[in-house]
Every structure is written in C-alpha cells, then in structure tokens.
Amino acid sequence: MELKFKALCAAVTLSLFGASGAAAETIKVGVLSPNTGPYAVIGEDVKNGFQLYFDSVGNKAGGDDIKLIFEDSQAKPDVGLTKAQKLVESDKVAFVGGIVSSSVAYAVRDYLVEKKVPLLVSVSSADGLTQNLAAPNIFRTNSSGSQTSHPMGQWLLDQGYKRVIIVAPGYSMGFEQTGGIARVFTEGGGKVVQALYPPLGTTDYAPYLTQLKVDDADAVIAVFAGSEAIQFVKQFEEYGLKGEIPLVGTSLLTDDLILEKEGDAALGIITSSHYSSQVDTPENKEFVAAYKERYKRPPTLYAEASYVAARVIHDALDKQGGDIGNQEALLKAISDVSFKAPRGNFKFDDYNSPIHDIYILKVERTEDGLVNKPFHRYENISQFYTWTPEEFMKLPPYRDIADTWVK
C-alpha cells in the first residue's frame, strides 16, 4: 500500500491554476471552519492559529504575499462543500486548511481530491482521511481519532489496571477514540467490563452514571467533547464517583477551551494528547506567549494544530520559491516538511498524517488556573501505533466493533 500510495503521489502532476507553472504574486489560502453554531469557539481558534503564524512571517512565503480567506462551514457537510467550492472556483485558493467537523471533512474530501487542491486538516480527527481514504493532497496536522488513544491504553496497563468501563457518545468520534484505548488495553491482557454509548446531544447522564459497574472496574474511560464533556465531568462528581474511581480519557474530555467551565470537578482527570499549553519546549513557550499577548488567553490544541498547518504551507512554499504551478513538486515539498513545532518534533508519515509525541496529562490547578499538565510522554507515535499501515488498515474499523469490547 505504501509503494502504491507513493506512486500515486508521484503521478499527480496537474497544475493548480493551469499548466504555466508561473508563481503567483499573491497566494491565497482558504480557511474553512465553523464561525457560527456550536463549534464556533473552535473555529475561532482555527482562525487564530492560521492568522498568528502568517502574521509572524509578515504574511509572506516563498517571496510571495499570502492572503487568508475565511469561510464559515457551520459544521454542516452541505454548507462546507459549498464553501469549499466557492474558495476553489471563485477565490482561486491554492490551499484549503482548517476543517473541524469530521462530517465536513468527508464531504469536501472527494471534491478537493478531484480538484487536486492541497487540504490541511487541523482539527477533524476522522481516521479514514489519512488511512483508507488517503490521497496525495490530503494532509493532517492534528492527531487522527485513535492516535492519542493507543498510548493511553498502554499507560493504563503500565499502571496495573486490569478492568475498565467505557462511556462515550454513540458515533464515530466516540467509537474511534475509546476504541484505540480498548484495543491496546485488551490485547495487553486488560478487560472491558462495561461499555455505554449515550446518544449525541445527551445532557442528563444520570441514567448512565447510576448503572456504572464501578465495583468491577479499576477506571472509567470517558470521551466527550464540548458541552457534553462539561456536563459529564460535573455530573460524574455530583453522583459521588469522583474519588471513588479514576476518570481517564482523551484530550477532548478536558480540553483547554472548556476546562475552567468544568471547574474543580475536572481536577485529577488523566487524558492523552499531542498538545497542551503546558508542554515544555522552547517553541511552545514562544507560541504560548505570543498567543496570550494577542488573544488574552492560552492556546488550545486546535489553535496549535492550525498554527502548525500554516507553517507547513509556509515552509513548503519557501522550498518551492513560491511556485504553485508544479503540483507534484508542491505536494512533495509539503510531505517532506519537518520542524520543531510547539508540541515537539513534527513530520508526516507516508499517508500524510503526523508522527509526533503523545503526552499523558493530569488536570491540576496552578496560579494560571486549571491546566492539563504533562507528566509522561510516548515518543514518535504514528496513527498506526505499533502496527504496520497494512496491518492496521486490515483491522475492523473501531466504529464497527464498538459493541464487541465487553466479553
């Protein structure tokens, strides 16, 4: 598969704007993210990340001016596709970046592959984009759905945990992120004693919290996002479970956008992620300081991944001297990008998804408020973890085996 994929990359030779190969004086970058609706706050971080990076380099790359064009996907597939078409056909963008909703990502994927416009996904974690649906012009700068989950499964085993409970929303995100933990945990000898999947949009978790088999488990694995995460974490404490059994998950459960709203109920929760504002690298200290100065708050993983996506575009254009006419060379320049990002070392695998460190984080209170503090690191983790790409993609998708973890 790797050789076929590389061959496909080499075969993409059509120009973005015709066959002349001439470098544009102004290169346009479309940023597609939700600026209204329930995910607007994430969309704002996407916009901030792109803008902060390009402002830091004078809005230039490869000797040309860079113009960012922002469009609101509303986190709706049909709207996202319409806006992607507008960016490509009317605005003549050379790149599309952003994408928060996985449903939007899948909706625009085929169109952008057909148009051969590079897409740099910075928030959507949909596994398929850089696995079975990988394409030479599709890149990811955040983690795939299960990429941060696999190390969490190993961490639980390393702590001596033997039995866990899974609670997650009953759709692809919940299945992928808990599935990564469950697969590693069960293959290492652990057991899932219970799995509950509340429907998306649940606000009252009492029916689920009251049936948790806490006497039979060592930890509860929960993966929720946004307002659902806030409600679950608070209700977990209200029902007397905090302190009775450890609560662990992935970064969505306590991400920096919602952490203060969760309050002390979040203290002690363990999660896994490729980024936290508390990551101790020189690049992150510089990034956090610049972000705080401009936006008056710490950056989130959404902002950092968008900042990284902007740098990927910049570095590839610099390597090409601003030439966007030779797409084969441009895509290779993107795939070859490697640098020290705020999160740490960053590079792409052969399917255009990052290889980077995954951190185990604990919610603590500091003088700056609640933070996700890294205390353990798994180095150079790919979306395929310890499997080869061929082995991993032959495994059944997590969404298809969500109901099989409990034996």
Side-chain angles (χ1 to χ4, degrees):
M1 175 65 182
E2 290 184 50
L3 291 176
K4 290 182 180 178
F5 184 74
K6 289 179 178 178
L8 180 60
C9 288
V12 178
T13 58
L14 292 179
S15 166
L16 291 172
F17 305 125
S20 66
E25 293 184 1
T26 297
I27 297 175
K28 298 176 183 178
V29 177
V31 179
L32 185 61
S33 61
N35 301 321
T36 56
Y39 296 130
V41 65
I42 298 176
E44 181 180 354
D45 272 27
V46 171
K47 179 178 179 180
N48 291 349
F50 272 93
Q51 192 72 67
L52 184 64
Y53 182 79
F54 278 117
D55 283 352
S56 75
V57 293
N59 289 292
K60 288 187 176 293
D64 290 321
D65 293 331
I66 297 294
K67 180 180 180 180
L68 294 174
I69 300 176
F70 298 98
E71 286 292 344
D72 181 8
S73 71
Q74 301 177 32
K76 298 177 180 178
D78 56 338
V79 175
L81 178 57
T82 297
K83 293 299 180 70
Q85 292 168 335
K86 182 258 185 187
L87 286 168
V88 172
E89 297 172 25
S90 298
D91 296 316
K92 306 297 184 185
V93 298
F95 303 87
V96 173
I99 312 292
V100 170
S101 164
S102 291
S103 60
V104 171
Y106 284 130
V108 304
R109 183 261 179 202
D110 289 352
Y111 172 75
L112 293 176
V113 169
E114 177 191 349
K115 296 298 182 180
K116 301 180 174 62
V117 174
L119 170 64
L120 289 98
V121 176
S122 61
V123 176
S124 168
S125 62
D127 279 353
L129 290 176
T130 52
Q131 293 177 17
N132 291 309
L133 292 176
N137 64 313
I138 306 295
F139 299 83
R140 187 197 305 279
T141 59
N142 61 315
S143 289
S144 66
S146 54
Q147 189 170 359
T148 64
S149 304
H150 296 133
M152 175 57 81
Q154 185 59 51
W155 184 84
L156 289 168
L157 291 169
D158 292 343
Q159 307 318 298
Y161 292 144
K162 303 294 185 183
R163 301 160 69 85
V164 299
I165 296 168
I166 289 173
V167 191
Y171 74 107
S172 59
M173 181 278 285
F175 299 149
E176 287 180 355
Q177 297 214 6
T178 56
I181 300 174
R183 177 172 278 159
V184 173
F185 186 71
T186 56
E187 289 190 1
K191 183 176 181 180
V192 177
V193 299
Q194 188 180 26
L196 302 174
Y197 300 109
L200 182 64
T202 296
T203 57
D204 181 8
Y205 292 97
Y208 305 96
L209 293 169
T210 54
Q211 63 177 297
L212 293 182
K213 299 178 180 179
V214 294
D215 292 337
D216 297 332
D218 302 315
V220 174
I221 299 168
V223 176
F224 293 94
S227 61
E228 291 180 335
I230 296 170
Q231 293 299 321
F232 183 86
V233 167
K234 286 187 171 182
Q235 291 173 29
F236 190 86
E237 180 183 50
E238 289 168 3
Y239 278 81
L241 295 168
K242 181 178 170 63
E244 181 177 350
I245 187 169
L247 180 58
V248 305
T250 59
S251 58
L252 296 178
L253 188 64
T254 62
D255 84 59
D256 292 336
L257 278 178
I258 62 174
L259 194 48
E260 287 297 336
K261 293 181 180 179
E262 292 173 334
D264 288 347
L267 284 170
I269 293 177
I270 306 294
T271 60
S272 55
S273 181
H274 63 266
Y275 179 74
S276 160
S277 62
Q278 301 297 301
V279 168
D280 188 14
T281 66
E283 293 77 17
N284 194 44
K285 290 177 180 177
E286 181 180 345
F287 171 59
V288 170
Y291 199 93
K292 282 184 175 180
E293 180 180 0
R294 181 157 182 176
Y295 302 112
K296 311 308 177 188
R297 60 182 174 84
T300 64
L301 72 161
Y302 314 119
E304 192 267 355
S306 299
Y307 183 89
V308 168
R311 176 162 179 184
V312 168
I313 293 170
H314 171 271
D315 286 8
L317 286 172
D318 264 7
K319 183 176 180 180
Q320 292 301 106
D323 180 11
I324 57 174
N326 184 339
Q327 197 185 58
E328 179 182 349
L330 179 62
L331 295 179
K332 187 176 189 311
I334 297 174
S335 64
D336 287 345
V337 162
S338 176
F339 53 83
K340 289 187 179 297
R343 72 189 70 168
N345 293 332
F346 176 93
K347 64 179 180 179
F348 289 114
D349 66 16
D350 289 330
Y351 293 74
N352 298 337
S353 192
I355 298 173
H356 51 206
D357 296 345
I358 300 299
Y359 299 91
I360 306 298
L361 316 167
K362 183 177 183 180
V363 177
E364 298 180 358
R365 183 171 291 283
T366 70
E367 59 183 16
D368 294 325
L370 293 172
V371 299
N372 288 292
K373 190 75 173 178
F375 67 91
H376 190 75
R377 179 178 62 168
Y378 292 91
E379 296 182 353
N380 299 319
I381 302 299
S382 84
Q383 61 180 331
F384 303 113
Y385 196 47
T386 57
W387 295 275
T388 66
E390 292 81 7
E391 289 171 338
F392 188 83
M393 289 188 287
K394 286 180 181 177
L395 295 170
Y398 289 123
R399 63 182 179 274
D400 292 343
I401 56 174
D403 293 320
T404 68
W405 299 120
V406 179
K407 303 295 185 182

